[in-house]
Amino acid sequence: MEEALEWDWLGLGRRIYPWDWVYHRHLGQALRLLEEGGAVDAISEALEEVPFEEWEAAVNFALKRHQDEARHFLGWVATMHHDDGWRFNAARHLWENGLLTESIRQRVMELEADPEARAILAEL
């Protein structure tokens, strides 16, 4: 049963980002966890080694199909993730989709060390 479910989600990874097959399993696993309301740290872990382009594709797909779950995940990434690039891009996605709250923006700015990124965040 578990293998059948994993295979179905592998196909979703292929549809979302068909150019690089290496990470399709990770994309599928992350999106399955997201849809099932899985823990945000588990979703993050599934996407940890995924390159930026695939991460972007997964986030864009999630925001279109599972906005509440994606908003929750991105809010966590923006305020809790250890990587400043992840935090910045999560805040950017929230802003681009009209989902960035002032409290999340402020928290991301507090955590941001790069003056250029802080300036961009201040303008969001």
Side-chain angles (χ1 to χ4, degrees), residues 40-105:
V40 290
D41 56 339
I43 298 166
S44 177
E45 180 68 28
L47 292 172
E48 193 64 38
E49 300 300 320
V50 173
F52 179 72
E53 292 82 8
E54 283 93 330
W55 189 90
E56 288 273 302
V59 167
N60 287 329
F61 177 87
L63 282 165
K64 288 178 186 165
R65 300 276 175 24
H66 308 287
Q67 188 177 60
D68 290 340
E69 293 86 350
R71 178 180 38 205
H72 177 68
F73 171 68
L74 290 171
W76 179 86
V77 170
T79 60
M80 302 295 286
H81 200 276
H82 66 274
D83 185 281
D84 57 348
W86 278 59
R87 289 193 309 267
F88 179 86
N89 284 306
R92 177 181 56 83
H93 274 284
L94 289 169
W95 177 76
E96 288 173 352
N97 289 277
L99 303 171
L100 182 65
T101 65
E102 182 59 24
S103 62
I104 291 175
R105 187 181 70 79

